[in-house]
Amino acid sequence: MKIKDILNKDNLNREDLEYLMGIDSNEELDILYGKAYEVKEKNVGKKVYYRGLIEFSNICVKDCSYCGIRKSNKNTDHFMMTKEEILTSAKWIYENNYGSLVLQAGERQDKEFVEFVEDVVKEIKEMSQGKLGITLSLGEQTKETYERWHEAGAHRYLLRIETSNEDLYKTLHPEDVSHDFTTRVKSLGYLKEAGYQVGTGVMIGLPGQTTKDLVDDILFYEKYNIDMIGMGPYIIHDETPMGAEFKDMVLSKEERVKLGLKMIALTRIYLKDVNIAATTALQGLDPLGREKGLKAGANILMPVTTAAEHRAKYQLYNGKPCIDDTADQCKKCLAGRVGTVGDEIAYGEWGDSPHYFNRNKK
Ligand code: SF4
């Protein structure tokens, strides 16, 4: 069987990745996921690390065509959590021994916002006596801002490239300076220079995206020496230009989940020592999506811990799961789900990307 020959190689090439991206039978897919799980176990272990996700504001200065909280969506019920509310969520994450949190929000570069985030990061560090790991997911910023936030105590940063195909990128973003592909790539470089563990990722199953594009995405992660990957299937949001245009043209749920799992598996097999998240978007299309993601090679989960009254307002896409659940309910539910996979939850650990340390040794 050709798939077994390919998977027995130590290092795959582009042709191998393209071949594997095209497999479709359940038998072949099971072999692929099995191999990815084996590579995960060998390189990052069977531990699952949590990042408690605090989505603290849905105010955004950008207008990405696929995103439910884009600036032009007049139906967005805007909110911005206070510092005290964020600290309350952070304290819950700390006391429940999640080890790390992610602060995520729509993009803003104004002085008030930059200072607010800096202040919040410092206070979370203080409240947890330096024990909580802090990841930021706050979009494109200046190099100085990235440095300030790193200095304040954040040590990981997620900035999704969404697609490494520049032409496709243009179709996802309005054509203006603030949505430029090269700026996004440059920002990844600034993050690395500032000392962060750098995360990126893509949307999978976009209209117009080919399997060759997806293979290029994996090669992009390699080229830019990315430490953490967060990628998920594209899910439309009705109140967006892309949602309206492509309503009937996106792949079926099953196809997008399958592609999402293949991407996780191939990224694990190809890059080996990176952290890979099983994203909520996978669960948005398949109730068992996150468990399947862990079985296909992912090792990170990002349970939403945003205060219940704000959850429903942070909808980047239709049908976001768990919006009525409290953080306590999510904790119980997830522990059961991880148990079914045979992985172990690494409570209280940061779970940094081994790739970050390996790349710094070279
Ligand atoms: S994807 Fe991010 S930057 Fe783009 S509109 Fe949504 S929140 Fe803003």
Side-chain angles (χ1 to χ4, degrees), residues 288-302:
L288 296 176
R290 284 187 293 186
E291 291 90 318
K292 289 180 182 173
L294 294 177
K295 279 190 178 152
N299 66 327
I300 302 290
L301 288 176
M302 293 163 63

Side-chain angles (χ1 to χ4, degrees), residues 92 96 98 304-305 311 325-333:
W92 185 94
N96 283 274
Y98 275 17
V304 181
T305 49
R311 280 187 187 212
D325 295 346
T326 64
D328 286 302
Q329 284 165 331
C330 274
K331 186 184 174 195
K332 262 195 215 127
C333 162

Side-chain angles (χ1 to χ4, degrees), residues 60 62 64 66-67 69-70 106-107:
C60 185
K62 288 218 168 142
C64 305
Y66 51 86
C67 177
I69 62 169
R70 64 200 298 270
E107 197 170 303

Side-chain angles (χ1 to χ4, degrees), residues 119-187:
D119 208 26
V120 165
V121 169
K122 281 186 185 159
E123 294 217 16
I124 292 173
K125 277 282 160 194
E126 213 178 288
M127 175 274 292
S128 68
Q129 293 119 50
K131 288 189 189 133
L132 263 185
I134 301 179
T135 305
L136 300 179
S137 176
L138 302 169
E140 290 168 11
Q141 302 290 339
T142 63
K143 194 169 175 227
E144 292 67 38
T145 299
Y146 287 145
E147 285 166 355
R148 267 176 81 170
W149 291 345
H150 188 264
E151 185 70 17
H155 80 290
R156 295 186 287 237
Y157 202 103
L158 303 171
L159 182 65
R160 288 187 16 165
I161 193 82
E162 308 299 358
T163 171
S164 61
N165 176 333
E166 212 171 327
D167 291 330
L168 188 56
Y169 188 91
K170 278 188 195 150
T171 69
L172 306 178
H173 301 96
E175 278 198 62
D176 65 43
V177 181
S178 68
H179 287 83
D180 187 46
F181 181 79
T182 49
T183 310
R184 183 64 58 104
V185 176
K186 223 186 267 174
S187 300

